[in-house]
Amino acid sequence: NKIAKPMKILGWTYDSSNVKSEIAALATVGQNEVQPLSQGLADYDTQYPKVKQSLEKAGIQRVIEDCQKSVDEFVNSQK
């Protein structure tokens, strides 16, 4: 395709070593709370706020920020 452009993050990989404990905590929340919610085994209206709070407590924002920092550094290094 002549008009296709490669993604700016082509070749980027995420090193999650800075947030290892958060990743582990998020995996537990995913298995115990997100999975039942996504499979329709829990009531969305009552469980979603609880799941969101659990994800925040487990450190999802720190993981998002660390990942974004990694992407930004990679993209800037490609200029």
Side-chain angles (χ1 to χ4, degrees), residues 14-26:
Y14 179 53
D15 175 8
S16 62
S17 60
N18 292 333
V19 289
K20 202 180 323 184
S21 60
E22 288 86 349
I23 296 289
L26 290 166

Side-chain angles (χ1 to χ4, degrees), residues 4-69:
K5 296 180 182 179
M7 294 177 58
K8 291 182 179 182
I9 62 170
L10 186 64
W12 170 79
T13 55
Y14 179 53
D15 175 8
S16 62
S17 60
N18 292 333
V19 289
K20 202 180 323 184
S21 60
E22 288 86 349
I23 296 289
L26 290 166
T28 301
V29 172
Q31 185 175 13
N32 296 335
E33 299 181 46
V34 175
Q35 192 172 29
L37 187 64
S38 69
Q39 294 174 346
L41 301 174
D43 180 64
Y44 180 84
D45 293 329
T46 59
Q47 292 302 313
Y48 177 75
K50 294 175 184 178
V51 170
K52 185 176 176 188
Q53 185 177 25
S54 293
L55 291 169
E56 289 169 357
K57 187 175 180 179
I60 195 165
Q61 191 59 43
R62 181 153 187 263
V63 174
I64 291 168
E65 290 167 1
D66 187 65
C67 185
Q68 185 63 59
K69 179 183 174 193

